[in-house]
């Protein structure tokens, strides 16, 4: 595929952006596979936990699936810790940002806040308030975030659990990222140029 000819944006022409737009669509279509390949980056990172982050992710998704959670929630469970290798101090933000354009805003909120909610089970060991999540008690995503953490996430450190392999979830991830992302740029071809608008 050819390339744009500009060296700076303020010299670009519509033809350049048509070329870039065509590349973007191809690139967008590969998001699911790139996200899954990044999930492999947290394989082997056990950080002292009984299972590594990869197994923990698969196990959280397996538990959600077996609890008859909807497919979007299962994918959220699979990817909720995907930012752990790059952003251990705020990993939930990474997963939430990746998924947010494709999912229910309440699920994005759930992922963004899962660490605080999860802390209900261990924050006291750090001298912190385990009930810190209570401040969100009236939030519409509170119940789903409690369920996510209490029933699936915090239980998924069991090396003997019958955890499903990544291949089981691959089609679900593909379907989710095939959705039209929220606030995506319109296509260049369908845009009316300033010249057209003036005529
Ligand atoms: Fe987790």
């Amino acid at each position: 595929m050819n390339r744009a000819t500009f060296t700076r944006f303020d010299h670009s022409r519509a033809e350049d952006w048509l070329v870039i737009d065509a590349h973007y669509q191809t690139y967008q279509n590969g998001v699911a596979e790139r996200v899954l390949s990044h999930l492999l980056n947290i394989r082997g990172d056990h950080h002292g936990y009984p299972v590594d982050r990869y197994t923990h992710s698969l196990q959280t998704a397996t538990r959600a699936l077996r609890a008859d959670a909807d497919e979007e929630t299962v994918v959220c469970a699979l990817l909720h810790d995907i930012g752990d290798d790059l952003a251990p101090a705020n990993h939930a933000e990474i997963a939430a940002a990746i998924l947010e354009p494709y999912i229910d805003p309440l699920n994005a909120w759930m992922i963004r806040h899962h660490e605080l909610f999860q802390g209900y089970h261990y924050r006291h060991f750090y001298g912190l308030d385990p009930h810190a999540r209570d401040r969100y008690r009236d939030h519409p995503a509170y119940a789903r975030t409690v369920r996510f953490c209490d029933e699936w996430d915090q239980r998924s450190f069991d090396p003997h659990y019958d955890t499903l392999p990544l291949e089981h979830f691959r089609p679900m991830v593909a379907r989710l990222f095939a959705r039209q992302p929220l606030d995506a740029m319109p296509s260049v071809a369908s845009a009316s140029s300033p010249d057209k608008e003036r005529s």
Side-chain angles (χ1 to χ4, degrees):
M1 208 181 285
N2 55 351
R3 295 192 187 192
T5 56
F6 60 78
T7 57
R8 41 192 282 181
F9 281 174
D10 59 359
H11 291 176
S12 64
R13 302 163 303 149
E15 298 82 65
D16 293 316
W17 292 103
L18 283 169
V19 170
I20 291 166
D21 204 28
H23 279 269
Y24 178 80
Q25 290 309 319
T26 305
Y27 199 59
Q28 173 64 31
N29 294 341
V31 167
E33 279 305 311
R34 289 197 300 279
V35 166
L36 286 175
S37 68
H38 193 88
L39 192 61
L40 297 175
N41 288 354
I42 55 175
R43 190 164 50 176
D45 287 344
H46 63 75
H47 304 182
Y49 290 87
V51 300
D52 66 14
R53 274 290 187 271
Y54 177 73
T55 302
H56 167 70
S57 299
L58 289 170
Q59 195 171 124
T60 306
T62 302
R63 289 182 192 279
L65 183 73
R66 288 176 179 160
D68 287 329
D70 60 77
E71 185 166 295
E72 179 174 308
T73 302
V74 172
V75 174
C76 288
L78 181 70
L79 301 178
H80 75 282
D81 279 340
I82 197 167
D84 228 15
D85 60 332
L86 295 175
N90 65 338
H91 73 283
E93 288 288 340
I94 303 289
I98 291 169
L99 284 161
E100 200 157 31
Y102 304 90
I103 63 175
D104 184 331
L106 295 180
N107 282 338
W109 193 97
M110 174 181 78
I111 293 175
R112 185 163 277 121
H113 293 80
H114 82 264
E115 193 171 5
L116 180 72
F117 277 59
Q118 184 91 307
Y120 175 74
H121 302 281
Y122 61 77
R123 282 170 63 89
H124 54 291
F125 294 120
Y126 290 85
L128 299 171
D129 177 14
H131 300 284
R133 68 189 193 183
D134 290 356
R135 80 182 76 141
Y136 296 114
R137 190 168 283 282
D138 295 329
H139 193 280
Y142 178 86
R144 74 178 64 195
T145 310
V146 166
R147 185 184 189 205
F148 177 88
C149 291
D150 293 3
E151 296 185 23
W152 309 325
D153 194 2
Q154 66 96 9
R155 297 181 187 205
S156 293
F157 298 91
D158 183 353
H160 304 297
Y161 184 76
D162 176 24
T163 301
L164 290 167
L166 182 60
E167 286 312 308
H168 194 91
F169 301 103
R170 188 179 294 275
M172 302 181 194
V173 175
R175 281 192 286 272
L176 187 137
F177 285 104
R179 296 177 182 176
Q180 181 66 21
L182 194 70
D183 295 332
M185 293 279 279
S187 76
V188 176
S190 66
S192 54
S193 71
D195 288 344
K196 278 184 189 168
E197 284 169 6
R198 275 197 294 273
S199 63

